[in-house]
Amino acid sequence: MLDYLSLSALAAVVREGSFERAARALHVTPSAVSQRIRQLEERVGCALVVRGQPCQATDTGRRLCQHMDRVRLLEQELQGSLPALAPEGVTRVALPIAVNADSLATWLAPAISAFAAEVPVLMDVAVDNEDHTAGWLRSGAVLAAVTATARPATGCNSRPLGAMRYLAAASPAFVARYFSDGVTAGRLAEAPSLVFNPQDDLQARWVRRLCHRHVELPRHSLPSTQAFITAGLAGMGWGLHPETLIAPHLQRGDLLELVPQTPLDVPLYWQETRAASALLDGLSRAVVQAARGSLMV
Amino acid sequence: MLDYLSLSALAAVVREGSFERAARALHVTPSAVSQRIRQLEERVGCALVVRGQPCQATDTGRRLCQHMDRVRLLEQELQGSLPALAPEGVTRVALPIAVNADSLATWLAPAISAFAAEVPVLMDVAVDNEDHTAGWLRSGAVLAAVTATARPATGCNSRPLGAMRYLAAASPAFVARYFSDGVTAGRLAEAPSLVFNPQDDLQARWVRRLCHRHVELPRHSLPSTQAFITAGLAGMGWGLHPETLIAPHLQRGDLLELVPQTPLDVPLYWQETRAASALLDGLSRAVVQAARGSLMV
C-alpha cells in the first residue's frame, strides 16, 4: 500500500508551489513535508518535485498526483453513501482539467460554473492551446481535457463535442487600408495579423486554405480573448475570432469578415480518464450538453 | 562586433519555437539555423537554446534576444529618418512586453491596440501575474512590463500607473448560502473561492486584511477573466473582481459585494528598459495616459 500521508504532502507542494505553503495547508511543519516527500522519493527511486519557484512535479510526481486525485474522487463518493465517514459533511475534492482559452471564455465557463455550484468539488482549470491540452492528460497533470485530439490518450475516453467556428475578421478601416483590392497572399504578408500566442496557428491555417500555400504573416501576439477582440475592433490586426463572440460586432459592422463564407471549424473532443468516478461523469455530462447547445455539429 | 546573422537565427528560433519554423521564416535551411546558433554558442561559451517543444532560450539566450530587440528598435528609428535605407518602406519590429491578465482584459488592450494600429510595430504580449512580470523584464525576455513591483529593474525606468481596484463579490444565492450570518473566518474556510491561478493571492490578501489572520480557503482555479466573472455570476464561488468589469453586475444586483467598503487596491507600475527608442517611448506614453483615465490615483 502506498503511503497516503506522503502522497498528500506531494500533492500539496505541487498545488501550493512551495514547501512552506504546503505545510501551512496541511497544518504541519515544512520539515515534516520535506521528510515525507523524501521518503516517497526513496521508495519510488527518483525525484518527484523539482525544487524551484514554484516547485513543480516531475513526470513521475505528476503520475502520483493524478493517482491521488483519483483516490480522493473515489473517497468522496464513498462519503456520499456512508455519511458516518465524514461527520463534518462531504469534503470538496479537486478536479484538475485542461481546456483551450476560447472554450473557457465562451461555452464552457457556464457549464463548469453550474456544475461546480451544485457538487462538492474544487475545479482546477488550466488553459493551453487545444493542440496541447491532450499532453496535460497524457502527463497525468489533469483528469479531463477539451482538446483538438480525437484519439483517446491511454486510459481515457474521447467524445466529440462539435466544432468551434472561427471567422477571419478585421475592422472596416483595417480592411480598407490593407485589403481594398482583395485578400491576396501579397497583402496578407503585409497586413499585421493577431495570434493568441506563438502556438496559435489558426491564422496560418486559414491563409493556407485560402492561398494554397504558406505565407509568412506579420503577427501581434495577444494572449487574452477580450484583448483579441478589442485589438480587432481598434484596427490593430486581422485574426480568427470565435463566431459566437463577434456576431454582434459583425451585425453592427464594427468588424467585417475578410472573405465571406470562409469559416474555419475546429473540432473539439472531451477526453476523460476512465476513473469510474460519478463526479467526473457528472462533469462530462455537463460539458457534453453545453457543447451540444453551442458548437457546430 | 556581434554576428547579427546568428543573433537573428537565435531570435527566430525563440520566437517560432522550432528550428524548422525559424528556417522557414528566415528563408534558409534548418541546418543553416542550427549552424549559426552553434557558432554563437561557441563564442558565448554556453547553451543559448534549450532544444525542446517548443525550443526556449536559456537566460543568456534571452539576454541576447533582448539585445537584438533593442538593436532592431534603433534600426527602425534610423530607417524613419533615412528612408533610403529601407526602400520597401519601414519594416515592423517586435516589441515584447509582459502584463497582468486583468490589465490586458480591461484598460490596457485599447491603449496597446490604438498604439499598434498607428506605428510599424508587432506587439508580442505575454501574460503573467503582476507579481511576476518584473521577472520577465529582469530576465531580458521583454522590454517593458506592467507590474506590481515599484523598484525599477536594472537598466529600467519605473513609473506609477495608479491602482487597479478589486471588489470581493459573489452571486446573491451564494451570499445567502454561505454568508447569511456574516463573512467570518469560519465561513470563509467553507465557502469556495475563485482564484485566477495558483499564484493569485488577492483573495488570501483580502481575507487576511478582513480577519487579521490567515484562513485556508477552498479554491477553484479559473485562468480566464471572462470565465472568472461567469463563475461568480453562476454561484461557483466568491472572488476579487476588477471593479470596472463588475460595476454593471453590482448595479443590477447579479453580484453582491461580500463586505461593502472593503476594496483591495493593487498599485501598478510601468517599467521600461532605457533603450532610448522613440517607439518604446510612444508605447509608454500611450500606456501611462490610458492608465490615468482608468486606474485609481
Side-chain angles (χ1 to χ4, degrees):
Chain A
M1 195 75 198
L2 284 169
D3 172 18
Y4 284 91
L5 214 57
S6 299
L7 277 176
S8 298
L10 172 66
V13 167
V14 172
R15 193 178 59 240
E16 303 285 335
S18 80
F19 283 66
E20 290 69 30
R21 290 168 67 164
R24 203 165 54 190
L26 296 172
H27 306 292
V28 298
T29 64
S31 76
V33 171
S34 177
Q35 196 186 346
R36 285 175 196 175
I37 288 178
R38 213 166 38 240
Q39 282 171 354
L40 202 54
E41 286 179 326
E42 278 166 17
R43 166 141 183 217
V44 179
C46 69
L48 299 174
V49 176
V50 182
R51 274 76 172 170
Q53 285 181 323
C55 290
Q56 290 181 312
T58 62
D59 286 348
T60 309
R62 270 199 296 272
R63 291 253 167 231
L64 288 176
C65 288
Q66 188 188 34
H67 169 76
M68 191 68 189
D69 287 333
R70 290 187 186 197
V71 171
R72 281 209 182 107
L73 279 177
L74 295 174
E75 274 191 11
Q76 194 190 45
E77 279 182 63
L78 197 63
Q79 283 178 19
S81 52
L82 293 172
L85 277 181
E88 293 104 44
V90 174
T91 49
R92 291 177 177 271
V93 290
L95 196 46
I97 66 174
V99 307
N100 62 317
D102 286 336
S103 285
L104 187 57
T106 56
W107 63 274
L108 189 59
I112 293 180
S113 303
F115 169 76
E118 292 304 318
V119 300
V121 73
L122 292 173
M123 295 302 304
D124 185 3
V125 183
V127 163
D128 203 343
N129 187 286
E130 62 269 20
D131 295 320
H132 296 180
T133 45
W136 288 68
L137 201 56
R138 274 195 302 274
S139 77
V142 299
L143 292 176
V146 173
T147 167
T149 309
R151 201 162 62 91
T154 313
C156 291
N157 294 322
S158 174
R159 307 190 214 182
L161 291 172
M164 188 113 179
R165 171 156 286 186
Y166 288 87
L167 303 178
S171 72
F174 188 91
V175 170
R177 178 169 172 190
Y178 290 101
F179 299 123
S180 55
D181 48 1
V183 182
T184 60
R187 288 310 192 166
L188 287 164
E190 283 171 15
S193 66
L194 302 172
V195 300
F196 191 79
N197 59 26
Q199 285 77 51
D200 172 12
D201 69 344
L202 289 188
Q203 287 63 223
R205 274 158 64 185
W206 183 82
V207 167
R208 238 180 348 253
R209 217 184 47 190
L210 187 77
C211 305
H212 304 289
R213 67 180 184 85
H214 173 78
V215 177
E216 199 57 39
L217 302 172
R219 287 173 304 186
H220 295 293
S221 187
L222 211 55
S224 157
T225 305
Q226 290 104 319
F228 210 82
I229 292 178
T230 304
L233 291 167
M236 181 174 172
W238 71 274
L240 281 131
H241 299 271
E243 183 179 34
T244 51
L245 285 182
I246 62 163
H249 297 299
L250 291 171
Q251 267 178 7
R252 279 201 299 270
D254 302 337
L255 288 176
L256 301 178
E257 257 195 283
L258 295 199
V259 184
Q261 314 287 329
T262 57
L264 185 73
D265 290 341
V266 178
L268 295 175
Y269 301 84
W270 175 250
Q271 293 207 19
E272 41 161 348
T273 51
R274 290 193 288 264
S277 138
L279 203 65
L280 188 52
D281 284 351
L283 175 63
S284 298
R285 271 195 306 275
V287 168
V288 169
Q289 196 180 337
R292 200 169 291 150
S294 312
L295 299 180
M296 314 286 301
V297 196
Chain B
M1 194 76 198
L2 284 169
D3 172 18
Y4 284 91
L5 215 56
S6 299
L7 277 175
S8 298
L10 172 66
V13 168
V14 172
R15 191 178 61 241
E16 303 285 335
S18 81
F19 282 68
E20 290 69 30
R21 290 168 67 164
R24 205 165 53 189
L26 296 172
H27 305 291
V28 298
T29 63
S31 76
V33 171
S34 178
Q35 196 184 346
R36 286 176 196 173
I37 289 178
R38 213 166 37 239
Q39 281 170 355
L40 201 55
E41 287 180 327
E42 277 165 18
R43 168 144 182 216
V44 179
C46 68
L48 299 174
V49 176
V50 182
R51 275 74 171 170
Q53 284 182 323
C55 290
Q56 290 180 313
T58 63
D59 286 349
T60 309
R62 270 199 297 270
R63 292 253 167 231
L64 288 175
C65 288
Q66 189 188 34
H67 169 76
M68 190 68 189
D69 287 333
R70 291 187 186 197
V71 171
R72 282 210 181 107
L73 278 177
L74 295 174
E75 273 191 12
Q76 193 189 46
E77 279 181 63
L78 196 62
Q79 284 179 18
S81 54
L82 292 173
L85 277 181
E88 294 105 42
V90 175
T91 49
R92 291 176 177 272
V93 291
L95 196 46
I97 66 173
V99 307
N100 62 318
D102 285 337
S103 286
L104 187 57
T106 56
W107 62 274
L108 189 59
I112 293 180
S113 304
F115 169 76
E118 293 304 318
V119 301
V121 73
L122 292 173
M123 297 301 304
D124 184 4
V125 183
V127 163
D128 203 344
N129 188 287
E130 62 268 19
D131 295 321
H132 296 180
T133 45
W136 288 68
L137 201 56
R138 275 195 302 275
S139 76
V142 298
L143 291 177
V146 173
T147 167
T149 310
R151 200 162 63 89
T154 313
C156 292
N157 294 321
S158 174
R159 308 190 213 180
L161 292 172
M164 189 114 177
R165 172 156 286 185
Y166 288 87
L167 303 179
S171 72
F174 188 91
V175 171
R177 178 168 170 189
Y178 289 101
F179 299 124
S180 55
D181 49 1
V183 182
T184 60
R187 287 310 191 166
L188 287 163
E190 282 172 15
S193 65
L194 302 173
V195 301
F196 191 79
N197 58 27
Q199 286 77 51
D200 171 12
D201 70 344
L202 289 186
Q203 288 63 223
R205 275 158 64 186
W206 183 81
V207 166
R208 246 187 334 262
R209 217 184 48 189
L210 186 77
C211 304
H212 305 288
R213 66 179 184 88
H214 174 77
V215 177
E216 199 57 38
L217 301 172
R219 289 173 303 186
H220 295 293
S221 187
L222 211 54
S224 158
T225 305
Q226 291 104 318
F228 210 81
I229 292 178
T230 304
L233 290 168
M236 182 173 171
W238 71 273
L240 280 132
H241 299 272
E243 182 178 35
T244 51
L245 284 183
I246 62 163
H249 296 300
L250 291 172
Q251 265 176 8
R252 278 202 299 271
D254 302 336
L255 288 176
L256 301 178
E257 259 196 281
L258 295 198
V259 184
Q261 313 287 329
T262 57
L264 185 73
D265 289 341
V266 178
L268 294 174
Y269 301 84
W270 176 249
Q271 293 208 18
E272 40 161 350
T273 53
R274 290 192 288 265
S277 139
L279 203 65
L280 188 52
D281 283 352
L283 176 62
S284 297
R285 272 196 306 276
V287 168
V288 169
Q289 196 179 335
R292 201 169 291 149
S294 311
L295 299 180
M296 313 287 301
V297 197

